[in-house]
Amino acid sequence: MIAEKKKRKKIDVGKCVMYLVVGLVVAVCLYPFLTVLAYSLSDGAAVTRGEVSIFPVGFQLTAYKEILKQTQIWTAMRVSIFVTIVGTALGLILTIFASYALSKPDLWGGKAITAFILFTMYFSGGMIPTFLIVKSVGLYDSIWSLILPSSMNVFNFIVMRTFFRQLPMELKEAAYIDGAGEMKILFQIVLPLSMPIIATIGLYYAVDYWNDYFSALLYIQSPEKYSLQLRLRQMLFAGDMNQLTSTDSAGVQVVQETLKMACIVVTTLPIIAVYPWLQKYFVKGVMVGSVKG
């Protein structure tokens, strides 16, 4: 009995330490976002006096009203939504077909093709050759230049291929005996069992496309084709906020700070809102898809 009590006590201490560490990590992750949110919702005078921490002071929505009145924000939002949806769908299609084909151990030349794909994960042509290729194929200043060059992610391919390899072979063999072809097995057996990894990889692609601004910075010239992240970058660093502020020097600085924080929140919330819908699949997909290599 004494030994059991000691063991139970150790387990409880271990759980407390674990919860403490997780709580600290969560606090560190949440603190910057809560600070940005508080600044965007606070009164300008309170921001100037340095009274804002993680709670708004003098609650107001003026910054959001000013930002949402800008037509360029809505145009950039539509571009980012289109790029994210189409890019995620295309990335999933390519990743699913490549992973399913190369997950078969008896595929002729499968190891060589996999090695070739993995090679691109560590070595690439670089920014300038990639830019020249994009320009030579006619994608420069096109929205498709934000989608096609990054439509296949090698890391996502590895995770999904690992997941497919762990599926029971008995199911596929039974389908072969019943006369099912590869496409029928993929769509009727493999994909229904693979929703966790599909949701996980889809979220990876969506976050990458949504947060990408460097591709738009390189390949997009027309302002009406700017992505939301590139528009945010211009507003933060190129002085576009001056168009929304007053002529008073102190007032300009205050309003600029609140507007900048509001811009960050506006560009971050849409992709954060997607995660709760995929959370139950996301955790399972990450755990299962990374057990074996």
Side-chain angles (χ1 to χ4, degrees):
M1 293 295 294
I2 298 177
E4 291 181 0
K5 289 182 179 180
K6 289 183 178 180
K7 187 176 180 181
R8 190 178 301 121
K9 186 176 182 180
K10 290 182 179 179
I11 294 175
D12 293 340
V13 172
K15 286 185 177 180
C16 291
V17 173
M18 182 184 65
Y19 291 146
L20 179 61
V21 172
V22 173
L24 290 175
V25 173
V26 171
V28 170
C29 295
L30 285 179
Y31 180 78
F33 183 76
L34 293 177
T35 302
V36 170
L37 184 62
Y39 268 76
S40 66
L41 296 172
S42 297
D43 179 66
V47 174
T48 304
R49 294 192 297 267
E51 299 175 353
V52 182
S53 57
I54 61 174
F55 299 104
V57 178
F59 181 85
Q60 60 179 14
L61 297 173
T62 306
Y64 292 96
K65 293 178 181 178
E66 291 295 331
I67 290 174
L68 296 179
K69 286 194 301 185
Q70 304 300 312
T71 56
Q72 58 187 9
I73 292 293
W74 291 105
T75 302
M77 180 78 76
R78 287 194 293 269
V79 171
S80 290
I81 292 175
F82 175 82
V83 169
T84 301
I85 293 176
V86 176
T88 301
L90 180 61
L92 282 175
I93 291 173
L94 295 177
T95 304
I96 288 172
F97 279 102
S99 301
Y100 178 69
L102 295 174
S103 67
K104 295 181 174 298
D106 56 345
L107 178 66
W108 187 85
K111 292 183 178 180
I113 297 174
T114 302
F116 181 78
I117 295 175
L118 292 178
F119 181 84
T120 64
M121 185 176 183
Y122 301 101
F123 303 97
S124 65
M127 180 177 66
I128 295 177
T130 303
F131 175 83
L132 294 177
I133 292 175
V134 170
K135 190 173 183 179
S136 64
V137 298
L139 292 178
Y140 184 72
D141 200 28
S142 169
I143 292 181
W144 291 102
S145 64
L146 307 179
I147 300 174
L148 296 180
S150 54
S151 58
M152 177 74 172
N153 185 282
V154 179
F155 174 79
N156 295 340
F157 158 77
I158 295 173
V159 174
M160 185 168 287
R161 188 193 63 162
T162 303
F163 185 92
F164 286 162
R165 282 186 171 181
Q166 297 177 22
L167 294 177
M169 286 297 300
E170 292 77 6
L171 294 176
K172 301 177 185 179
E173 292 173 356
Y176 284 131
I177 294 174
D178 291 338
E182 293 291 348
M183 297 300 293
K184 188 173 183 180
I185 293 174
L186 174 62
F187 285 101
Q188 296 188 6
I189 297 177
V190 175
L191 293 186
L193 297 174
S194 305
M195 288 308 299
I197 198 64
I198 292 175
T200 302
I201 300 303
L203 185 60
Y204 284 163
Y205 276 118
V207 171
D208 288 342
Y209 276 112
W210 182 265
N211 290 333
D212 182 29
Y213 82 93
F214 194 66
S215 297
L217 185 64
L218 286 178
Y219 308 134
I220 300 299
Q221 188 176 14
S222 304
E224 66 272 10
K225 298 178 184 178
Y226 285 171
S227 64
L228 186 60
Q229 302 299 333
L230 180 59
R231 179 62 67 185
L232 171 64
R233 180 184 181 275
Q234 285 195 333
M235 297 182 72
L236 292 179
F237 298 108
D240 289 1
M241 290 295 182
N242 293 329
Q243 301 176 2
L244 305 178
T245 57
S246 61
T247 56
D248 180 68
S249 58
V252 167
Q253 181 63 30
V254 172
V255 176
Q256 283 184 351
E257 288 301 317
T258 55
L259 286 172
K260 288 178 181 179
M261 300 304 175
C263 280
I264 295 173
V265 174
V266 168
T267 56
T268 305
L269 279 181
I271 197 66
I272 290 180
V274 176
Y275 178 75
W277 301 95
L278 301 177
Q279 181 180 7
K280 62 180 181 179
Y281 298 112
F282 181 77
V283 176
K284 184 178 179 182
V286 171
M287 295 299 294
V288 176
S290 60
V291 173
K292 299 180 181 179

